[in-house]
């Protein structure tokens, strides 16, 4: 899981990067809002944590711009502004949650986990991408109506790509999703699993495309 932190306080940023890193999250950090839309444009992040009191463009303007552009990424706002009108404005303008500084790290981690879990929830256990159908509850897959035999890691890879479709999934994120507590999967191993999965998909109407320098996406 990857988080973008937009925060100009260096001490707070360092503390959050350490805490979230220890909790297993990959972190990217920006000290200003202006570069954030470009950083989030590739769909590599699962959550943004945004401070309101930023230099230049403030955090609330950033939230509005992201939502106006159709970006549905979960956004957790951090701010020292504790007025009711500030909280209402933040939520009405597109933030998913709002935390007032100072805050307790265990509560922040719990809210981060809840927002990511909510954003990735699927209403049905059945998922379709073109001719591909996945049953997320039974780990069964069908391509053009025919059963698609997959190993455990091939299933994990295909599921990650299908859940994100049509967005690009970063290679590092795929490696994290394929890793187990006792064995880390490298970026080179991801390439091997992608190659095997492409061979199994054949010419069944589904393509795993390489987006150079970023990762992969699945297209019908």
């Amino acid at each position: 899981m990857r988080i973008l932190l937009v925060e100009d306080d260096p001490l707070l940023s360092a503390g959050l990067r350490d805490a979230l890193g220890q909790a297993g999250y990959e972190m990217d950090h920006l000290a200003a809002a202006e570069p954030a839309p470009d950083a989030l444009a590739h769909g590599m992040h699962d959550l943004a944590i945004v401070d309101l009191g930023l230099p230049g463009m403030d955090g609330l303007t950033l939230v509005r711009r992201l939502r106006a552009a159709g970006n549905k990424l979960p956004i957790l706002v951090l701010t020292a502004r504790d007025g009711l009108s500030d909280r209402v404005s933040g939520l009405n303008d597109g933030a998913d949650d709002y935390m007032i500084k100072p805050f307790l790290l265990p509560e922040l981690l719990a809210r981060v986990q809840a927002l990511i879990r909510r954003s990735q929830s699927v209403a049905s256990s059945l998922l379709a991408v073109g001719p591909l159908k996945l049953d997320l509850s039974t780990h069964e897959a069908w391509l053009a109506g025919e059963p698609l035999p997959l190993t455990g890691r091939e299933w994990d890879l295909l599921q990650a790509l299908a859940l994100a479709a049509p967005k690009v999934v970063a290679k590092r994120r795929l490696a994290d999703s394929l890793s187990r507590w006792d064995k880390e999967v490298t970026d080179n191993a991801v390439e091997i699993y992608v190659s095997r999965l492409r061979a199994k998909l054949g010419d069944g109407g589904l393509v795993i495309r390489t987006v150079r320098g970023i990762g992969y996406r699945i297209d019908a």
Side-chain angles (χ1 to χ4, degrees), residues 36 51 76 200:
D51 179 31
L76 172 62
K200 288 191 174 182

Side-chain angles (χ1 to χ4, degrees), residues 1 26 171-180 184-185:
M1 299 294 175
E26 297 288 333
K171 185 184 289 186
R172 184 66 256 167
R173 181 174 170 185
L174 288 172
D176 291 341
S177 70
L178 297 178
S179 296
R180 302 290 186 266
E184 182 178 356
V185 172

Side-chain angles (χ1 to χ4, degrees), residues 47-64:
L47 176 80
I49 300 177
V50 178
D51 179 31
L52 290 191
L54 295 166
M57 183 198 306
D58 66 15
L60 201 55
T61 301
L62 171 60
V63 172
R64 292 193 195 106

Side-chain angles (χ1 to χ4, degrees), residues 22-175:
Q22 290 176 14
Y25 296 99
E26 297 288 333
M27 292 289 299
D28 295 311
H29 172 239
L30 295 173
E34 284 80 3
D38 287 339
L40 295 171
H42 300 297
M44 297 170 58
H45 297 89
D46 299 281
L47 176 80
I49 300 177
V50 178
D51 179 31
L52 290 191
L54 295 166
M57 183 198 306
D58 66 15
L60 201 55
T61 301
L62 171 60
V63 172
R64 292 193 195 106
R65 289 191 181 183
L66 290 172
R67 296 310 189 219
N71 193 313
K72 298 180 181 179
L73 185 79
I75 299 174
L76 172 62
V77 162
L78 298 180
T79 182
R81 306 172 191 174
D82 60 356
L84 176 61
S85 61
D86 292 317
R87 296 198 299 274
V88 170
S89 295
L91 294 170
N92 284 342
D93 286 338
D96 296 279
D97 204 351
Y98 198 106
M99 290 196 71
I100 297 170
K101 303 174 183 178
F103 51 83
L104 298 175
L105 278 174
E107 182 182 1
L108 175 74
L109 289 171
R111 294 196 186 201
V112 165
Q113 292 168 358
L115 287 173
I116 292 176
R117 185 169 59 246
R118 188 188 313 159
S119 71
Q120 295 185 341
S121 64
V122 180
S124 170
S125 65
L126 296 177
L127 178 65
V129 180
L132 174 71
K133 288 183 174 56
L134 301 178
D135 189 325
L136 303 181
S137 62
T138 63
H139 286 201
E140 293 178 285
W142 300 265
L143 184 62
E146 296 296 324
L148 184 64
L150 299 169
T151 66
R153 283 204 169 98
E154 289 169 351
W155 165 268
D156 289 341
L157 175 62
L158 187 58
Q159 175 182 247
L161 291 169
L163 284 170
K167 294 181 181 178
V168 178
V169 185
K171 185 184 289 186
R172 184 66 256 167
R173 181 174 170 185
L174 288 172

Side-chain angles (χ1 to χ4, degrees), residues 42 44 168-172 191 198 208-217:
H42 300 297
M44 297 170 58
V168 178
V169 185
K171 185 184 289 186
R172 184 66 256 167
E191 295 176 7
R198 281 172 170 160
I208 299 176
R209 301 193 186 278
T210 300
V211 181
R212 190 173 299 278
I214 301 176
Y216 303 93
R217 77 165 186 264

